[in-house]
Amino acid sequence: MRTEGESRDDHVVVSDRLIFAYYVTGHGFGHATRVTEVVRHLILAGHVVHVVTGAPDFVFTTEIQSPRLILRKVLLDCGAVQADALTVDRLASLEKYSETAVAPRDSILETEVQWLHSIKADLVVSDVVPVACRAAADAGIRSVCVTNFSWDFIYAEYVMAAGYHHRSIVWQIAEDYSHCEFLIRLPGYCPMPAFRDVIDVPLVVRRLHKPRKEVRKELGIAEDVKLVILNFGGQPAGWKLKEESLPSGWLCLVCGSLEDQVLPPNFIKLAKDVYTPDLIAASDCMLGKIGYGTVSEALAYKLPFVFVRRDYFNEEPFLRNMLEYFQGGVEMIRRDLLTGQWRPYLERAVTLKPCYEGGCNGGEVAARILQDTAIGKNYASDKLSGARRLRDAIVLGYQLQRVPGRDISIPEWYANAESEFGLRTGTQNAETNQSSVFENSYIQDFDILHGDLLGLSDTMSFLKSLAELNTLSDSGKNAEKRQMRERMAAANLFNWQEDIIVARAPGRLDVVGGIADYSGSLVLQMPIREACHVAVQMIHPSKQRLWKHAQARRQGSTPVLQIVSYGSELSNRGPTFDMDISDFMDGEEPMAYEKAKVYFAQDPSQKWAAYVAGTILVLMKELGVRFENSISMLVSSAVPEGKGVSSSASVEVASMSAIAAAHGIDISPRDLALLCQKVENHVVGAPCGVMDQMTSACGEANKLLAMVCQPAEVLGLVDIPSHIKFWGIDSGLRHSVGGADYGSVRIGAFMGREIIKSTASAKLCKFLSIANGTHTDELEEDSLEPLEAEKSLDYLCNLSPHRYEALYAKILPQSMLGDTFLEKYTDHNDPVTIIDRKRNYGVKAAAKHPIYENFRVKAFKALLTSAASDDQLTALGELMYQCHYSYSACGLGSDGTDKLVQLVQETEHSKPSKSGDGTLYGAKITGGGSGGTISVVGRNCLRSSQQIFQIQQRYKAATGYLPVVFEGSSPGAGKFGHLRIRRRLSHKQ
């Protein structure tokens, strides 16, 4: 090995020697270790490899001692910035990438092109540095990527949290990758649509240097001693290893940095440059975080892997699914890792029998492909152009959440895992015309002691899934089958001899009103047929079935909360959550909301539990309820996440409905919705209005809930005329009310309100001053009463559009720095958002939107009750279009939703629609905006449904994504009530 700048070795003569430039990303050692294996085979073939890396030399030189390996220490990307071994700082990652690769981009490209020419590179290989592909193209050299993920996919999730002003980073990365000739794709891959073509290879795994027995002998560890290797690449902050963490007689090998800590006697510190594959193969299981290196080596050496999830790293779910597919993984909750509750996980791990039998020679295969490419072989098929794949990448939205079969880049094993979980994917509709055969299937399993199914097929499906859990837990054969972990956890959740409460709450389609809810607007919302079901069992702690890790942690007979949430694999979150119910108490009183928010946020993979468990805390704080019994909960939602149809509200409402019924608390639907809003605002920390929860709780099938959000005055239900129909069409771009854009627009609206109030107060003072003088002409300009109201304006929507235009439109700034606003106005008086002094907020558009939206919704409601006519439908559609473009003016639009609205407009104005009766009349983005779903209004006829289908297909043709269509309605939680069921004793217990 030599470093860049040393003289070249001219003694080794290879007739067909090639020169490779191999770029390695700066994220961790995993990329460098797998690159080492590919490079080793290239050098064995007689070639020269220049490795561009920031990794330490020993990562490469431990395996390769050759003068034809040349290391060049340059870092051209930064990967994900980690606060510690388990936590990614999303905003810091984007800012660091900008600093490393965006700001100096021109000089990087110039330098790399010159360098590639200077070494006379035959091929550029990247794992997976974006700018390397562009530099190769500028230098006129072919390039190939070798990876299981790409940074556009990883960073896209960060953009959602950090703000869409960072989107250009993701687009630039995708554009850079599109210059790559093809991708050598490693197992456990993510969707990577920016690449034109792919070649799949086996696992790339480093070879073993020593056999298991020799390694153990050198360590002085007998064959019969259980050995776990701790492999985190750096340890979580504040972590102390404890002797009692390990089962009796076990030893632990510790990789990584723990220099300041004195290890317990059953822990063995390893050297920093130790060759870990030998130690992994010599161990009985591994405890660590998921990455390509750890997973591939665990599978190759058939080593059970106890893993802890990392925050915000989108590579993980795909590798985790691969690991579990081959029966090699056990998930440990982060809390148990940090508190030393390892024993039940390690004991479970050594009972596994990992079954990976695939190839492990990916390094050799990849090297051969690279060699052939460098000498001119053409592997790319050009079946998909770079521009097409790039377009797919951008519009697809880079979302983790997906529906089975809708992404051609999903590995077979991943799709299989999803299809196994078909019971919760939401394919069942809330139709009422099901056959009696299906209805009898649940009657045979449960006695329904209270409540009515209302003929809802999705509820029947849920009861059927509950019945199958009992079979799953009793059947050893079934338990041996490859099952989703959440199903297995659910199978051990309930005591089947006790009653179970079932509640149901639908999602909602925001027909009109949207984000104006927090400004006091009238809103019209429709409960959709997709719903969340929650099963709850309150039971004495002595009768509760506990998971093993919960048993190990339990003190005495403390009541425990256990939750299983179906669908975890579709959104990269933990499938289970458990806690002592006493943890909600802070002395004699329930903990403060702020403390609860911190409690649930400490492990992002389990933050979802705040939506469910948070309902318990709100009941304790707001109604004084105390829970003496244990609580077991199963959450199964067919309301897809991130699509702007209130998945979170449906979970909150169904959870609180079930818990209240189980505890014997009678709460009106309206009050329940207000309590659920507190869950989302104060426990979850998302600044939403109340319309979502109110629709889920108070809505009725085929009717629009009319509500004035001041704070939650339900005006009643508006019948949807029989000739009118509403649809929702999902754009594929993930939406979150917790995202930066929604919150900043809300802050801008509240800033605008304070400026208007201040202006009205000043005008009023001037009015009174004039009234005491002789300027009678000026007295006629304003009247006292409106200014009095506007001086103390509670809601922007109480200001009429004409008053806004007359007095305030010209004085509102387009935008304002947070610090400037706070200096002048002190506070924006919104209890659920905080102004960032350094951030610039849009004010005028954010304040104007709810003022006009309230007027539009009132007109919309009046039109629904007017005489049926084409003019009626045209006017309804026009109001929706106006709302859509007002969202965009606020900065809450998205490419995907704009495209869908454009397709609706093209359909409306097409010749067939003009020549006869029109069918589709208008559309708008919904909810919090920035992606998600659009709502469409049209004539209730077959032709309209056909046109919706055509829009679906046209959107797929333009973007590569087939949107979900929401069609139909179902009753809210209040109308459904609850079921009390008990397993029939004739069945196995």
Side-chain angles (χ1 to χ4, degrees):
M1 188 278 294
R2 50 195 174 85
T3 57
E4 189 69 28
E6 293 183 12
S7 61
R8 289 184 58 172
D9 170 38
D10 294 321
H11 299 292
V12 180
V13 179
V14 180
S15 59
D16 57 349
R17 177 179 295 176
L18 300 168
I19 298 175
F20 294 87
Y22 210 134
Y23 289 81
V24 187
T25 187
H27 182 76
F29 285 0
H31 295 266
T33 56
R34 73 187 184 198
V35 164
T36 299
E37 185 62 15
V38 180
V39 170
R40 184 174 72 84
H41 284 284
L42 288 173
I43 288 177
L44 283 174
H47 306 305
V48 175
V49 184
H50 295 255
V51 177
V52 184
T53 179
D57 290 0
F58 74 81
V59 176
F60 301 94
T61 56
T62 304
E63 264 292 88
I64 306 170
Q65 296 85 37
S66 170
R68 284 176 284 113
L69 168 65
I70 305 166
L71 299 181
R72 176 176 174 237
K73 290 306 182 67
V74 177
L75 195 62
L76 297 178
D77 70 357
C78 62
V81 175
Q82 296 188 204
D84 58 42
L86 295 174
T87 306
V88 171
D89 188 325
R90 293 173 289 180
L91 180 56
S93 296
L94 293 171
E95 290 175 343
K96 184 67 174 176
Y97 187 85
S98 292
E99 176 188 323
T100 306
V102 177
R105 178 177 173 83
D106 291 342
S107 63
I108 287 174
L109 287 171
E110 182 181 357
T111 300
E112 294 311 302
V113 169
Q114 291 176 358
W115 177 74
L116 289 170
H117 284 149
S118 72
I119 66 169
K120 298 180 180 179
D122 295 295
L123 185 71
V124 171
V125 189
S126 179
D127 184 356
V128 62
V129 181
V131 74
C133 302
R134 177 57 185 267
D138 289 353
I141 302 170
R142 301 168 77 186
S143 65
V144 176
C145 284
V146 183
T147 186
N148 65 303
F149 75 85
S150 54
W151 285 113
D152 52 345
F153 184 75
I154 302 299
Y155 284 159
E157 185 77 8
Y158 305 170
V159 169
M160 295 174 203
Y164 275 70
H165 52 290
H166 292 288
R167 277 189 299 182
S168 60
I169 292 176
V170 177
W171 290 1
Q172 183 64 70
I173 291 173
E175 196 274 333
D176 283 347
Y177 285 144
S178 72
H179 291 285
C180 171
E181 189 157 316
F182 63 89
L183 166 69
I184 296 177
R185 190 167 60 180
L186 306 181
Y189 56 82
C190 305
M192 293 180 279
F195 295 100
R196 280 186 285 174
D197 208 349
V198 298
I199 300 173
D200 289 306
V201 298
L203 287 176
V204 176
V205 183
R206 291 179 290 175
R207 61 178 176 167
L208 296 180
H209 290 174
K210 300 174 183 177
R212 172 187 172 97
K213 286 186 178 181
E214 183 179 341
V215 174
R216 282 191 169 237
K217 184 177 180 180
E218 290 178 356
L219 292 170
I221 298 172
E223 270 298 315
D224 59 345
V225 173
K226 294 295 182 186
L227 185 64
V228 57
I229 182 167
L230 188 66
N231 192 3
F232 275 95
Q235 315 307 337
W239 187 17
K240 292 292 183 182
L241 299 177
K242 304 174 184 178
E243 182 176 357
E244 59 271 21
S245 297
L246 301 180
S248 178
W250 281 56
L251 294 176
C252 179
L253 304 177
V254 181
C255 303
S257 55
L258 282 171
E259 291 88 351
D260 299 333
Q261 187 174 153
V262 177
L263 297 184
N266 49 353
F267 287 78
I268 302 169
K269 181 74 173 74
L270 298 171
K272 188 174 183 179
D273 59 353
V274 69
Y275 190 65
T276 53
D278 289 347
L279 296 166
I280 288 173
S283 300
D284 295 291
C285 66
M286 178 161 52
L287 172 56
K289 62 183 179 183
I290 283 180
Y292 183 84
T294 53
V295 170
S296 62
E297 289 172 356
L299 290 175
Y301 305 130
K302 292 185 169 53
L303 188 76
F305 188 178
V306 180
F307 62 87
V308 182
R309 295 186 189 224
R310 282 189 288 178
D311 307 340
Y312 313 122
F313 201 70
N314 296 352
E315 172 195 23
E316 183 176 285
F318 300 90
L319 292 171
R320 185 175 66 244
N321 271 281
M322 182 171 69
L323 182 68
E324 293 175 344
Y325 181 87
F326 294 111
Q327 301 177 31
V330 174
E331 181 174 356
M332 178 185 287
I333 297 170
R334 183 181 304 192
R335 177 186 57 203
D336 288 342
L337 170 74
L338 300 180
T339 58
Q341 299 288 338
W342 299 3
R343 181 177 54 80
Y345 301 98
L346 298 178
E347 291 175 344
R348 165 65 179 151
V350 294
T351 67
L352 299 181
K353 298 188 183 301
C355 60
Y356 179 76
E357 300 293 346
C360 297
N361 63 334
E364 179 183 1
V365 175
R368 187 165 59 247
I369 295 169
L370 294 174
Q371 175 183 272
D372 292 345
T373 304
I375 62 177
K377 184 172 180 178
N378 184 19
Y379 277 96
S381 66
D382 286 328
K383 61 184 178 183
L384 291 175
S385 69
R388 168 62 189 278
R389 297 299 285 167
L390 176 59
R391 188 171 69 234
D392 288 0
I394 293 172
V395 186
L396 180 65
Y398 311 94
Q399 56 168 5
L400 271 178
Q401 180 194 334
R402 59 178 52 75
V403 177
R406 288 193 176 141
D407 190 329
I408 60 172
S409 294
I410 296 295
E412 181 183 356
W413 48 262
Y414 190 84
N416 288 344
E418 284 187 316
S419 63
E420 281 182 8
F421 198 56
L423 282 172
R424 72 129 298 275
T425 58
T427 54
Q428 292 290 343
N429 300 327
E431 303 290 348
T432 59
N433 57 348
Q434 297 295 312
S435 68
S436 59
V437 175
F438 184 46
E439 202 164 320
N440 287 335
S441 66
Y442 73 82
I443 293 176
Q444 295 170 1
D445 296 312
F446 293 103
D447 286 320
I448 298 181
L449 308 177
H450 171 86
D452 188 345
L453 291 170
L454 303 181
L456 295 168
S457 65
D458 60 344
T459 303
M460 299 175 196
S461 293
F462 180 68
L463 293 183
K464 184 173 181 288
S465 73
L466 284 179
E468 290 173 347
L469 289 179
N470 190 29
T471 304
L472 180 64
S473 64
D474 286 344
S475 171
K477 289 183 179 180
N478 282 339
E480 290 174 1
K481 293 180 180 179
R482 191 178 73 253
Q483 297 284 348
M484 298 297 289
R485 285 182 300 117
E486 53 205 35
R487 297 281 303 280
M488 296 302 296
N492 293 286
L493 187 63
F494 296 119
N495 182 328
W496 297 107
Q497 295 180 336
E498 303 292 328
D499 292 358
I500 295 173
I501 300 296
V502 175
R504 177 190 184 278
R508 67 96 187 94
L509 180 66
D510 166 35
V511 176
V512 278
I515 58 165
D517 63 341
Y518 55 65
S519 293
S521 179
L522 172 67
V523 296
L524 295 176
Q525 308 292 304
M526 184 180 80
I528 59 177
R529 67 183 179 187
E530 290 79 8
C532 173
H533 287 83
V534 173
V536 168
Q537 187 173 73
M538 286 194 180
I539 193 168
H540 190 275
S542 64
K543 294 182 179 181
Q544 185 183 29
R545 299 177 69 183
L546 285 176
W547 301 315
K548 287 185 179 180
H549 69 268
Q551 288 175 350
R553 193 178 61 247
R554 188 177 193 173
Q555 300 290 329
S557 58
T558 303
V560 173
L561 168 65
Q562 293 188 138
I563 308 170
V564 175
S565 174
Y566 282 173
S568 61
E569 294 307 322
L570 299 180
S571 50
N572 194 22
R573 52 182 167 80
T576 65
F577 175 84
D578 63 275
M579 64 180 289
D580 293 343
I581 294 178
S582 59
D583 288 348
F584 278 129
M585 301 299 291
D586 192 356
E588 297 297 317
E589 296 296 324
M591 70 165 66
Y593 286 134
E594 190 60 35
K595 190 172 181 180
K597 185 165 68 172
V598 172
Y599 177 89
F600 287 108
Q602 61 189 352
D603 183 354
S605 72
Q606 293 196 313
K607 187 178 179 180
W608 61 266
Y611 295 97
V612 184
T615 62
I616 295 173
L617 178 62
V618 168
L619 289 173
M620 293 170 72
K621 287 185 72 68
E622 304 300 328
L623 301 186
V625 179
R626 295 295 180 267
F627 296 93
E628 304 298 330
N629 285 328
S630 290
I631 303 174
S632 298
M633 303 181 70
L634 174 62
V635 181
S636 175
S637 182
V639 185
E641 299 174 33
K643 299 191 183 300
V645 288
S646 300
S647 58
S648 59
S650 64
V651 169
E652 293 155 357
V653 171
S655 297
M656 187 173 286
S657 297
I659 290 169
H663 201 70
I665 310 169
D666 187 15
I667 307 174
S668 71
R670 179 184 181 277
D671 290 342
L672 187 134
L674 291 170
L675 291 170
C676 289
Q677 185 196 18
K678 289 183 180 293
V679 175
E680 188 139 0
N681 286 171
H682 302 305
V683 183
V684 177
C688 71
V690 73
M691 71 176 188
D692 298 356
Q693 292 82 2
M694 200 65 71
T695 308
S696 188
C698 305
E700 291 189 19
N702 302 312
K703 296 180 181 180
L704 300 181
L705 181 75
M707 180 178 69
V708 176
C709 303
Q710 299 190 17
E713 180 188 349
V714 176
L715 299 184
L717 295 162
V718 179
D719 287 323
I720 300 174
S722 59
H723 67 287
I724 294 176
K725 188 169 183 176
F726 297 101
W727 295 264
I729 308 178
D730 155 49
S731 67
L733 300 178
R734 190 176 177 87
H735 153 80
S736 170
V737 294
D741 294 279
Y742 174 91
S744 65
V745 172
R746 176 170 176 145
I747 289 171
F750 277 81
M751 283 180 167
R753 187 191 66 171
E754 291 306 305
I755 294 171
I756 287 171
K757 289 169 64 177
S758 176
T759 303
S761 180
K763 285 182 176 289
L764 186 63
C765 288
K766 182 181 178 182
F767 182 96
L768 294 174
S769 173
I770 292 171
N772 292 326
T774 59
H775 303 286
T776 55
D777 291 341
E778 294 189 40
L779 277 176
E780 296 175 357
E781 290 184 7
D782 299 309
S783 61
L784 182 63
E785 190 174 336
L787 285 175
E788 286 281 4
E790 288 152 13
K791 181 186 77 168
S792 55
L793 190 67
D794 289 332
Y795 297 96
L796 274 173
C797 291
N798 290 339
L799 181 66
S800 64
H802 80 270
R803 289 287 294 178
Y804 166 78
E805 292 293 346
L807 299 179
Y808 305 110
K810 293 180 181 179
I811 58 96
L812 282 180
Q814 293 292 336
S815 62
M816 181 175 281
L817 189 68
D819 188 62
T820 304
F821 175 85
L822 292 173
E823 287 296 321
K824 187 170 184 180
Y825 300 100
T826 307
D827 191 11
H828 68 319
N829 293 308
D830 179 14
V832 297
T833 58
I834 298 173
I835 293 176
D836 182 348
R837 285 182 174 270
K838 297 180 180 180
R839 182 162 186 177
N840 206 39
Y841 294 94
V843 175
K844 189 168 187 176
K848 179 181 178 180
H849 173 80
I851 294 169
Y852 276 85
E853 182 71 356
N854 187 48
F855 177 80
R856 285 189 289 264
V857 180
K858 288 179 178 179
F860 197 96
K861 181 173 179 286
L863 281 166
L864 284 173
T865 59
S866 66
S869 67
D870 198 59
D871 287 343
Q872 176 201 33
L873 283 161
T874 301
L876 290 171
E878 177 59 29
L879 290 170
M880 293 180 78
Y881 286 140
Q882 289 180 19
C883 171
H884 177 78
Y885 292 112
S886 184
Y887 261 76
S888 295
C890 293
L892 291 175
S894 75
D895 297 335
T897 49
D898 285 349
K899 179 65 175 177
L900 284 170
V901 171
Q902 178 190 343
L903 291 173
V904 172
Q905 290 176 343
E906 290 174 1
T907 301
E908 179 188 359
H909 300 301
S910 64
K911 287 184 179 180
S913 292
K914 284 185 173 182
S915 60
D917 289 337
T919 54
L920 301 182
Y921 289 86
K924 61 175 278 290
I925 194 171
T926 63
S930 298
T933 295
I934 69 162
S935 62
V936 182
V937 64
R939 196 178 295 278
N940 186 9
C941 63
L942 178 60
R943 187 177 172 197
S944 295
S945 296
Q946 291 170 340
Q947 290 182 331
I948 292 290
F949 175 77
Q950 289 167 3
I951 288 171
Q952 230 187 344
Q953 297 304 312
R954 290 179 65 189
Y955 188 78
K956 181 183 179 183
T959 69
Y961 176 78
L962 180 68
V964 177
V965 172
F966 299 98
E967 183 175 6
S969 183
S970 69
K975 192 74 172 177
F976 180 85
H978 70 273
L979 306 178
R980 180 180 293 274
I981 63 173
R982 181 178 294 176
R983 184 80 184 186
R984 289 197 167 180
L985 296 178
S986 58
H987 288 254
K988 290 183 178 181
Q989 303 302 317

